[in-house]
C-alpha cells in the first residue's frame, strides 16, 4: 500500500497546547502526517495587516487588513489539506473556526471537530457536517491513526 | 434591463425581528426579492430530528439527528441563493451563522454580515470574506436596494 | 418567504408503494414538491435498451444497452434534484440505489435513506453520508414538511 | 514518455484475497502503481468509531460513528485516486462498494468493476458507468498493464 | 410526477433532415422537449464572422472569426442542455460534432450518438462515452420517449 | 426550436450610450434578450459604500467599501449571464472591465469585447480569450442576432 | 524562477512520427517536459478490450470494450496534462482527436492543434478553441520552448 | 509544521525591477517560494506568435496569435499558483494584469495587488477582490513572510 503523506490542517483555538499534543501523539505513532495551521501567535495574528502593510486609524479597517493577510495563509492551507481538525475552546467565540468548518464542508474536505460536551448543542450544525467529533487531542490522534493505518488503540 | 427576482437567504440569529425589518424595508422599496431562511422557531428547530424521525436517548445524537434534518433545508436554500445575509446577535455563540458564512465563501456566493461593532474584532475573518458589513437591518435594505436598483438612500 | 417548488428524486426499490405513499402524504400536506424517479415498471426498465435500439445477443450487452438509456433519465433528474430519497427494500440487492446515493453525495446534494433497521449495519456508510435515515414513508413526508415549511407533526 | 506513478484505489469486498492477487500481478509486471484501500480488517472497521471516540449505547449510532471515521480515510483516498477498482463478492450486500462507484462516477474518475457473471443483471447500472468489467483479478492486472504500458497479455 | 421540459441539443451534420425527423417524432409523441442546435444554414454558418464583424483577407482568420461567433451560440446551448444528440453523416469530417461530444462528456452531460454502422470503428471512443448509439432518428425519438415518459415503442 | 431568453451582461465603460444603442438594436430585431449591467451612474457607483453603510475617513477604505457593495451586484449578474459584452472606451483605465473579462473567462462564460482599433495591442490578451471583438454597438447586435437567430445582416 | 516539469499530452494521429519529432526537438532544447499519449500501436489499441477482458462476438461491442479500456489511460492522462497537442493527419477521420480537444476545452486545459492547411476549414471550431494552430512538429516545439522558457527561435 | 513550497505567480508590469526585488527579499528571508511569471521580455512577448508560428499580415491577428501562445504559459502557471501578485505600474494600461486578477478571483486563488496610491480609485474593484494591497515590493515580501512563516518585520 502507498506511503502517502497526509496533509492535516489544525484550525481554531490558539490558547492551549492541543496542537502540540496532537503532533506529539502523531510523532509517537510514527504516522506520515504534515501539519499546517493558522499563525498561532495571537499578537502577531492581530498585527498581520498593520505590521506588513502599515498602521490604520480605524480599528475596523485595521482588523480587515489583518484578516486579509491571514486569509492568504489559511485559505491556501485549507485548500491543500486532506483533513481539517477544528478546535473550539472555552474562551472567545471562535467564529473563524466555524467559518473554516463551513469552508471545508463546501469544498468536500472531511473535518473533525474537537470540543467539550458543554458546546454540543451550540455546535450541532458544525458537528453534523463533520466526519467525527472528538473530546481530546488523544482521540484525534486515534482517529488519524485509524484513518491512515487502520490501527485501533 | 431585466426584471430579475433576487434570492436572498437570511442566516443566523433567530431571537430578534431583524428578518422582519429587512423584509418590511424591501417591501416598502418594492424590490424584487424572495427571501429564504432556516426555521426560526427555536423549539421546532431543536426538535427537527426527534419530531420527525423519533426520540433519541443521547442528547448528542438527538442534536445530530436534528441538525441533519435542518441541513436539508439550509444547504438547499443557501445553494439557491444569490446573496446571503448573516446576522450575529449578542446572545448565544451562533457558530452555525459563521459556518454558513464559510460555506457561502467557498461557493463564491456574496454575503453581507450584520452585527454590532462590539463583535468586530472577533468576526474579522468572517467580515473580511464578506462583501459588506452592516450595523442595522436598514443598512442591509439600503445595500440590497443599491445592488438591485442602483439607488442610494 | 419565497414560494419555491422543491425537486425531489425518489431513487431505489420499485416493488412496493412507497413512492405513492410519499406523494400522497405530500399532497395532503399541500407541500410545493415536484417528484421525479427512475422508470418504475420493472419489465420496461429491463427492456429500455433492447426496446429502443434493438435486441442484443449477449445478456451482458443487453443490460449494458438498457442501463445507458436508463442513465439518460436518472442522471439528468438526480442532477436537477434538490433532495434525493433513496429506498432500500428487502428484495434484490439494489446496488443502483447505493450508486445513486454515492453520486448525490459527490454532487453535494442532500439525500435521505429509507429502510428497515435490519439493514442498518450493511448500509452504515450510505446512511452516514445521508442527512437523515427514515423507517417509513410517513417519516420522509415529515422530514420534507419540516424542511420546506418548518412544521412538525 | 513520463514515469508516472498511478494511484489505484481498491474498493469493496474484504473477505477474499483479490487485493493481494492484483498487487502480486502488478508487482510481477513491474507497473508503477501505488494502491490504497479501505481498512480491510472487518472487526477493526466495525469498531472504527467506538474504538477511537468511545462506545455507544445504540447500534445505529455506533455504526454511524464508525462510518464517519472510515469515511475520512475512504473519501480522501478515492479523491486522490486515478483509477478505482470496485469488487463485488458473493457474500454481503456491499452497498458501500456501489456507493463508492457512484461517488467516483460523479467525480469523473474512471473505475473498473470486478465480479462474477451471476451479478451482471443486478449490477448493470454500476457496470454501465464503469470503463470496464472484469471477472478475475488477473484481468484487472491486464487492464492496468495496458492502461499504463500499452502492453497486452 | 413533475412536468419537466427537457432541453435537447442537436449537434452535428447539417445536410440531411434528421433534426426535422426527430422533432416530428417528438411532437407526435407529445413529449415536453425544447430543441436547440447550431445554425444549420451552411452558408450563414461559414459567414458568421465576416458577415457580422467584417470581411477578412486570410481564409484562416475568416474561419477563426466565424468559429468564435458560432461558439457563442453553441457553447451556451450545450451548457444549457439536459441531453445532447450528436449526428455523424457520411459527408464531411464533422470534427466539430466530435468536439461537442468531448465537451459534453467533460461537463457530465449525457449524450446520444446517431450514425450508420460503417462508422462504428472510427467512432468507438465517441460512442463509448455516450449513453447510447442510435442508427435512425426514430430510435433517438424512442430513447427520448423512454427517458422522459418511460414508454417503449 | 426553443424560445429561450438570453441573459446578456454589459460590462465596462459608463460614459457613452453604447448600452442604449445595443438595447435599441436588439429591440428592433425583436431578439429575446434580458440585459443586465453594473450601476452606470458614476456618482452613485462611487458612493455605493458610503451612501449605504456610512462615510469613511480614508479614501482607500471608502472605495473599498463601495467596491464591495458594487460587487454584490456585478458578481451575481455576471454569474447569471449567458454572454458578457465588455466595452473599453477612450477615457479612464477601466481595469474593472478587464477584471470582468478575466472573471468570465475563468467561469467559461463566452464574452465579446467592444473597442476601437487603437487599443488592439494593449487588449490583445483580453481579446484572445474573447469569442469576438466588435468595433461598434451595431456589430454587437449583429453578433447577438446571429448567435440567437442565425440571421446575418 | 521555478524548475517546473510540464506535462504534455500528445493526442491524435498514430501513423506518422510527429510524436518522436516533437520529443526530439524538446530534448534538444533541454526543456523540462514529460510527455504522455494514448497507446500508439494501432493493433494493440484495437485489441485493448478483447485482449484483456475477452473476445466479443459483435464488432460493435468489441470496439466498445476496447474504447473503455483505452479511456482509462487517455482520460487520466488528459486530466493530468498542463498542455494537450492534438494532431490531425490526412488518413482516417480521427474523431477521437476532436473528442479530446472538446474534452480539454471543457476542462479549461490549453491545447495546440497540429495539421495541414487543407483541413483549416473543417477544423475551424476545433482550432478556435485552441490556443495555437501549428503546421509542423517543429512549430510545436517552438511554442513549447516559448511557453516554458520564453525563448524564440 | 510542514515544509511546503509556495507557488507564487508575479503578474503585470514588465518595465521595472519589482520581480527581482521581491525575489531578492524572499531569498534573503529564506522563504520556501517558487516564482513564476509571464515572459517579461517585451519584444519577445510581442513576437510570441509570429516568431513561433509565422508572420501575419494583419496587426490584429498578429497580436491574437501571440496572445494565444502567451496564454499557454500564463494560464497554466496561474492555475498552478497558490498566490498571485498583480503589479500595476504607471505606464501602459496593463489590462492583462487586471484580467489575471479577475481570472484568479474566479478560481478562488488569493492575490495581492501592488501599485501606487494614485491608482487606488481606478483599481478599487480589483483591490476589493484582493486579499491585500501593497505599495512596495518590500511590503509584498513582508506579506509572503507572514503568510508562510507567521513572522512580522
Amino acid at each position: 500500500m502507498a506511503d502517502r503523506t497526509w496533509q492535516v490542517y489544525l484550525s481554531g483555538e490558539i490558547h492551549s497546547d492541543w496542537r502540540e499534543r496532537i503532533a506529539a501523539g502523531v510523532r509517537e505513532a510514527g504516522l506520515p502526517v504534515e501539519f499546517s495551521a493558522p499563525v498561532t501567535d495571537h499578537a502577531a495574528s492581530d498585527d498581520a495587516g498593520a505590521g506588513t502593510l502599515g498602521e490604520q486609524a480605524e480599528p475596523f479597517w485595521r482588523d480587515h487588513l489583518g484578516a486579509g493577510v491571514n486569509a492568504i495563509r489559511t485559505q491556501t492551507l485549507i485548500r491543500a489539506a486532506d483533513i481539517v481538525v477544528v478546535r473550539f475552546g472555552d474562551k472567545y467565540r471562535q467564529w473563524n473556526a466555524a467559518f473554516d468548518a463551513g469552508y471545508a464542508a463546501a469544498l468536500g474536505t472531511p473535518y473533525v471537530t474537537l470540543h467539550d460536551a458543554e458546546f454540543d448543542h451550540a455546535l450541532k450544525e458544525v458537528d453534523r457536517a463533520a466526519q467525527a467529533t472528538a473530546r481530546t487531542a488523544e482521540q484525534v490522534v486515534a482517529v488519524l491513526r485509524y484513518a491512515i493505518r487502520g490501527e485501533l488503540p
Side-chain angles (χ1 to χ4, degrees), chain A:
Chain A
M1 296 293 140
D3 235 14
R4 190 170 204 284
T5 298
W6 295 63
Q7 306 294 327
V8 178
Y9 183 81
L10 303 173
S11 167
E13 190 222 338
I14 59 173
H15 299 94
S16 74
D17 65 348
W18 67 278
R19 282 187 185 81
E20 287 70 28
R21 285 165 58 199
I22 290 177
V26 157
R27 205 163 40 233
E28 197 174 329
L31 303 178
V33 171
E34 287 186 351
F35 290 108
S36 61
V39 171
T40 55
D41 175 336
H42 196 152
S45 175
D46 279 358
D47 294 345
T52 54
L53 297 168
E55 195 50 69
Q56 303 297 316
E58 298 288 334
F60 181 84
W61 294 120
R62 189 184 199 278
D63 279 340
H64 193 81
L65 195 70
V69 173
N70 274 303
I72 295 172
R73 176 184 180 92
T74 58
Q75 286 187 14
T76 301
L77 295 174
I78 291 180
R79 282 176 171 260
D82 295 313
I83 303 171
V84 176
V85 181
V86 190
R87 162 75 181 156
F88 295 88
D90 54 3
K91 279 197 277 193
Y92 306 100
R93 289 181 178 249
Q94 301 161 90
W95 280 314
N96 56 330
F99 179 89
D100 286 353
Y103 196 87
L107 295 179
T109 304
Y111 68 89
V112 178
T113 52
L114 170 60
H115 60 80
D116 290 346
E118 67 176 304
F119 298 132
D120 279 0
H121 189 63
L123 280 167
K124 63 182 186 294
E125 287 86 3
V126 179
D127 285 349
R128 185 58 179 79
Q131 295 290 11
T133 294
R135 299 306 187 197
T136 65
E138 286 66 38
Q139 286 185 330
V140 173
V141 174
V143 166
L144 292 174
R145 187 173 159 216
Y146 178 83
I148 295 171
R149 288 264 169 81
E151 301 167 354
L152 289 172

